[in-house]
Amino acid sequence: MTVSLTVVSSAGHAWRLTERIGSGSEGVVYGVEGDRPLVAKLVPDPPDPVAYRRRLARLVRQRREPRTVRLLAATPPRAAWPMVLVRTRNADADGYLMTDMRHAYRPLAQLLFPTPRRYFLPDATWETALAAACSLARLLADLHAEGYVVGDLKPDNLWVDDRGGVGVADVDSWQFRDGADVFPGRMSTPGYTAPERIGVPAGTPPDSASDNFVLAVLVHQLLTEGLHPFAGHPADGAGYRSYDDNVLRGRCRLLDRLSVVLPPSAPPADLLPRRIRELLSAAFGGVRPTAAVWAEALAAEAAPGRLRTCRVDAGHVHTIERPWCPWCDLAGRGADRSGDRAGRGDPPADGPAGTGRERNGAHGRRDGT
């Protein structure tokens, strides 16, 4: 949708906004006219405008600090970092300019779920998903090493390129320290929230351990065609409520294979290498692996000799630990998965047996401000 808005910086520089790209619970993202790949995020009504502008100003300043320079040194940049504070001419909305991630990436959901993968990444295989899981773990490990906590880690904030490289947006909601000041994390999203943060009072800060829980959720989804690890109808006959309810009650086939009922179309648990299954079990029911541990383990699974290509379909790639092709198995059971390049099915509807997201994302997250 074309718009007619102009934003200005405190120094008097002006940018014309070209179209509305998307919106979330806090703000709206617009394209920016010009040769540089930029977008603008505007927040018309933050709960505390003064605090929000202060947070943005600190993030813009941190862009020049060594720890942030290291994070942004890669090409393409791995984070859509706030570059300059802007306001609309009539001062009814604050915001910032950032890199347009669409210039080098596509939304992670286009790799995560079967139907969009077929259309947007037709050559992607399980190896691509493994590369994305490893890239995400490395990115999160680097963020944690520099003192940042994402807090609202989820597919809607993540981007992926054709080779599995991952980038992240919505930096303005992160938790970080600037000198003696701590700016707490402000968001969480149902289905992508660590158990200790579910139902806590608004404003309760996250930590790296809560990020690590959600990282494990995303690794599982990337490697199992979008299947949420806490998906499934309760096997005890209780009604399905949500992923979060299953999280709190420990309903997860990796922890207890008899705790949930999944459809025949669900990828088998032994699709995953043994080491990855062990790390997932620890993440959901023991001592959570750090992002750095995940990055090392995932890189090892992508090493030469650890992957096998199906003799029937070159688009079927799986771990060497699996003696036969899981994608052929699923196709034989009538499942329509994007492990098969020819997959044609839509992701199942959101819910207990589905492999689609619970559609909360940017439109249904909890605002902790």
Side-chain angles (χ1 to χ4, degrees):
M1 180 177 68
T2 303
V3 298
S4 180
L5 278 175
T6 299
V7 294
V8 295
S9 69
S10 60
H13 299 292
W15 295 266
R16 194 173 76 84
L17 307 187
T18 57
E19 78 275 0
R20 178 170 171 157
I21 296 171
S23 63
S25 61
E26 259 200 332
V28 183
V29 177
Y30 297 92
V32 175
E33 185 177 72
D35 296 331
R36 297 182 64 186
L38 299 175
V39 294
K41 179 176 179 179
L42 297 181
V43 179
D45 189 26
D48 186 338
V50 174
Y52 183 65
R53 286 194 290 270
R54 182 167 173 263
R55 169 186 283 267
L56 290 183
R58 296 295 186 91
L59 283 169
V60 169
R61 188 177 72 181
Q62 287 205 6
R63 184 181 177 86
R64 298 185 294 272
E65 293 189 0
R67 65 172 179 168
T68 311
V69 170
R70 287 191 292 269
L71 289 172
L72 301 178
T75 302
R78 295 191 294 169
W81 205 273
M83 301 171 65
V84 59
L85 272 64
V86 296
R87 304 187 79 179
T88 53
R89 283 200 184 277
N90 60 3
D92 65 350
D94 293 291
Y96 59 93
L97 301 187
M98 59 182 168
T99 298
D100 185 351
M101 299 297 272
R102 299 174 303 168
H103 184 69
Y105 297 97
R106 60 184 71 249
L108 183 72
Q110 293 181 7
L111 175 65
L112 204 59
F113 300 110
T115 294
R117 186 191 301 190
R118 175 192 171 217
Y119 287 104
F120 296 106
L121 288 165
D123 294 324
T125 67
W126 194 75
E127 184 175 11
T128 313
L130 182 61
C134 186
S135 178
L136 173 59
R138 284 175 174 153
L139 173 58
L140 191 61
D142 290 345
L143 293 175
H144 287 172
E146 301 297 353
Y148 296 106
V149 175
V150 176
D152 193 28
L153 189 63
K154 62 181 179 183
D156 286 351
N157 291 345
L158 295 170
W159 299 79
V160 67
D161 64 23
D162 294 352
R163 295 169 291 111
V166 171
V168 62
D170 272 8
V171 174
D172 58 314
S173 68
W174 292 3
Q175 179 167 291
F176 65 97
R177 180 182 293 275
D178 186 80
D181 297 323
V182 175
F183 294 82
R186 304 180 298 117
M187 304 290 182
S188 64
T189 295
Y192 298 94
T193 303
E196 67 273 12
R197 295 194 69 209
I198 296 174
V200 301
T204 302
D207 58 20
S208 59
S210 57
D211 275 356
N212 292 335
F213 179 89
V214 183
L215 170 63
V217 170
L218 291 166
V219 168
H220 186 280
Q221 288 192 281
L222 280 163
L223 300 185
T224 60
E225 300 293 287
L227 180 69
H228 195 287
F230 290 88
H233 286 280
D236 60 8
Y240 173 83
R241 296 181 62 188
S242 66
Y243 291 149
D244 283 355
D245 183 62
N246 281 358
V247 168
L248 291 174
R249 299 176 187 277
R251 297 184 184 124
C252 172
R253 71 173 177 179
L254 286 167
L255 301 179
D256 178 359
R257 65 184 181 86
L258 300 179
S259 64
V260 292
V261 178
L262 290 167
S265 60
D270 65 358
L271 167 70
L272 302 169
R274 177 188 57 81
R275 178 57 177 155
I276 299 304
R277 294 199 304 271
E278 290 174 348
L279 290 176
L280 287 167
S281 296
F284 302 141
V287 179
R288 292 174 196 164
T290 64
V293 169
W294 270 114
E296 182 179 359
L298 291 163
E301 295 303 332
R306 289 294 299 169
L307 297 175
R308 175 178 290 164
T309 300
C310 175
R311 295 180 180 179
V312 176
D313 189 328
H316 293 183
V317 178
H318 57 92
T319 174
I320 194 71
E321 295 178 15
R322 192 67 154 69
W324 60 86
C325 178
W327 311 119
C328 287
D329 274 0
L330 287 166
R333 298 206 300 263
D336 195 4
R337 317 299 302 179
S338 67
D340 180 350
R341 288 181 185 171
R344 295 180 177 84
D346 291 332
D350 301 329
T355 58
R357 295 181 280 186
E358 290 184 316
R359 293 292 298 174
N360 299 300
H363 303 283
R365 61 187 180 184
R366 306 183 186 102
D367 188 339
T369 51

